[in-house]
Amino acid sequence: MTDPAIRGRELSRSFGLLALLGALLVVAGLVGLVYTGVATLTSMILFGWLLLIGGLVGLLHAIQSRGTNYFWLGVVVAALNIAAGVVVIRHPHGTAEALTMFAALLFLTGGVFRLVGSVMVRGPQFGWTLLQGAFGLLLGLLVLFDWPHSSLYVLGLFFSLALLFDGLGLIAIGVGGRRIVSLVSDQQTVNEELPDKP
């Protein structure tokens, strides 16, 4: 059985690495917030490569499962992913414009539905739902009125904010985990140093 002290050090090191990864994500998010255009293109290229690799993996999986009822469906889905990945990688600006338009329409429809729903239902969260709806509607209109120029920064902004908040979450988990491991290790040391009662 592993020594608890060694196990505690390993856990503490793991939580430290998690906090370090979180710090790197925070730095990447902050850099992305400063250079939103670069972050938008980076996110599009990453998205394209994910589609391409996912399509290739799906194609290999479909080939391995040939003879089943789902073979042709797997091939078609994999081919669509590969084609979409190639298009996104070759035309990141056009993809960003299309996805920004899609995001604006999502904000608009979500905002309208929340506004109408909050007025019709008037539940206990009326004010909060009304505010969410108004914010979604306003955000959708701002993105839509500035389109296609907004495609240069909107997706990069969202991507950078996601990196920033994910990084902050990992830092919190890493630091909190190290503290818990330290407290448990200290308590274990105190228990070992106490003399056994007769």
Side-chain angles (χ1 to χ4, degrees), residues 78-103:
L80 287 173
N81 280 339
I82 290 170
V86 170
V87 169
V88 171
I89 291 168
R90 292 192 61 181
H91 305 286
H93 290 286
T95 305
E97 288 179 4
L99 288 177
T100 302
M101 173 65 80
F102 182 67

Side-chain angles (χ1 to χ4, degrees), residues 1-130:
M1 191 166 173
T2 311
D3 182 20
I6 295 173
R7 185 68 181 141
R9 281 195 294 273
E10 289 174 356
L11 277 172
S12 184
R13 192 177 310 118
S14 298
F15 280 119
L17 290 174
L18 202 61
L20 179 63
L21 176 62
L24 291 174
L25 288 180
V26 166
V27 170
L30 291 173
V31 170
L33 288 175
V34 174
Y35 301 103
T36 52
V38 175
T40 296
L41 285 179
T42 303
S43 65
M44 288 298 94
I45 291 169
L46 283 174
F47 180 55
W49 277 106
L50 284 174
L51 283 172
L52 187 61
I53 292 168
L56 291 173
V57 170
L59 187 60
L60 289 174
H61 182 66
I63 290 170
Q64 287 176 348
S65 62
R66 63 182 174 272
T68 63
N69 295 335
Y70 303 105
F71 169 71
W72 287 111
L73 178 63
V75 169
V76 169
V77 170
L80 287 173
N81 280 339
I82 290 170
V86 170
V87 169
V88 171
I89 291 168
R90 292 192 61 181
H91 305 286
H93 290 286
T95 305
E97 288 179 4
L99 288 177
T100 302
M101 173 65 80
F102 182 67
L105 294 175
L106 279 180
F107 288 136
L108 280 173
T109 54
V112 167
F113 278 118
R114 280 196 177 95
L115 281 173
V116 171
S118 65
V119 170
M120 297 291 287
V121 175
R122 290 188 180 270
Q125 300 293 329
F126 169 72
W128 180 246
T129 308
L130 193 68

